[in-house]
């Protein structure tokens, strides 16, 4: 029998084996853990890495303190991403629509290698060159999401500061602007710039909303200076959608945004 190929699949297999050994259905486990049956099914199938709260609930339900919490920590590390980021990466790979607001930096999926390296060097000044290179490689790998046969719709609103803040060097910024302009030509990618002249933004914090098929609710992803969090509260996600709509209403059209991106690219030449 082939072993699971990912940390999430390994974790899910353990949940399924413990559940069946106790004679529980997915619905019964979900009720005891205060999660839906569909959530349990996706965890067991390895389609998403369980939340820390679900792992803690499994420890209580099965009477094995800290076991699933440790398994989840190990599963998250297997992908090479920080523990708190792995759940988002797995969801990103299955999303049908990705809505992103970038308040300070270009979103990771659209960063060039040199731009990403400059970002990581500033954020992790004590990392070795090899460690930085590994971080950059993982970030660039996320481009596979929009390079597949059936890519999601990627809709990105960039605060104008993302275009004008020098990350690394003028040459790196010129290259990054060129990359954005090139990506904007894809029918699966829409870029809008929120100009300075639009005034105070609907929010000063960047965030991402992921949409899936009709069987799965949208989720919100937010970050603070030390970690990120996936939020699936329907009320909170609904508020994020309203905020995104307000940002989109204040942003330049995709065509006007592309003109500005190319203009800023030329300015980085001077």
């Amino acid at each position: 029998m082939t072993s699971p190929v990912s940390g999430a699949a390994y974790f899910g297999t353990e949940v399924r084996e413990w559940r069946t050994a106790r004679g529980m259905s997915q619905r019964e486990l979900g009720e005891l853990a205060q999660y839906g049956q569909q959530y349990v099914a996706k965890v067991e199938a390895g389609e998403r890495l369980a939340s820390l709260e679900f792992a803690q609930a499994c420890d209580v339900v099965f009477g094995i303190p800290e076991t699933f919490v440790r398994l989840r920590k190990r599963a998250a590390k297997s992908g090479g991403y920080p523990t708190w980021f792995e759940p988002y990466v797995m969801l990103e790979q299955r999303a049908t629509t990705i809505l992103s607001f970038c308040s300070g930096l270009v979103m990771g999926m659209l960063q060039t290698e040199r731009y990403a390296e400059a970002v990581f060097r500033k954020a992790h000044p004590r990392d070795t060159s090899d460690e930085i290179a590994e971080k950059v490689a993982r970030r660039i790998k996320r481009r596979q999401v929009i390079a597949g046969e059936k890519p999601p719709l990627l809709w990105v609103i960039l605060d104008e500061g993302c275009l004008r803040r020098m990350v690394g060097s003028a040459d790196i910024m010129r290259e990054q602007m060129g990359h954005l302009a090139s990506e904007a030509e894809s029918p699966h990618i829409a870029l809008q710039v929120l100009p300075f002249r639009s005034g105070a933004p609907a929010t000063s914090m960047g965030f991402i909303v992921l949409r899936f098929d009709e069987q799965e609710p949208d989720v919100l992803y937010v970050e603070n200076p030390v970690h990120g969090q996936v939020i699936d509260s329907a009320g909170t996600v609904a508020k994020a959608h309203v905020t995104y709509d307000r940002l989109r209403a204040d942003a330049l059209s995709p065509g006007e945004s592309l003109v500005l991106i190319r203009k800023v690219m030329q300015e980085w030449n001077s």
Side-chain angles (χ1 to χ4, degrees), residues 6 8-10 12-13 16 41-49 90:
S6 71
Y10 173 72
T13 297
R16 183 172 62 251
K42 289 185 179 298
V43 167
E44 291 189 356
E47 293 181 8
R48 69 182 299 170
L49 180 62
M90 294 190 63

Side-chain angles (χ1 to χ4, degrees), residues 23-39:
M24 294 181 184
S25 67
Q26 291 179 338
R27 184 179 299 278
E28 289 171 331
L29 173 57
E31 290 175 350
L32 290 171
Q34 297 187 347
Y35 280 80
Q37 182 271 334
Q38 186 181 67
Y39 184 92

Side-chain angles (χ1 to χ4, degrees), residues 98-127:
I98 301 173
L99 305 175
S100 172
F101 171 54
C102 306
S103 59
L105 297 170
V106 174
M107 77 173 298
M109 193 181 293
L110 292 179
Q111 292 178 6
T112 65
E113 290 189 36
R114 293 202 298 163
Y115 185 100
E117 180 181 3
V119 169
F120 282 127
R121 286 197 179 281
K122 183 59 70 74
H124 305 280
R126 301 183 68 178
D127 280 6

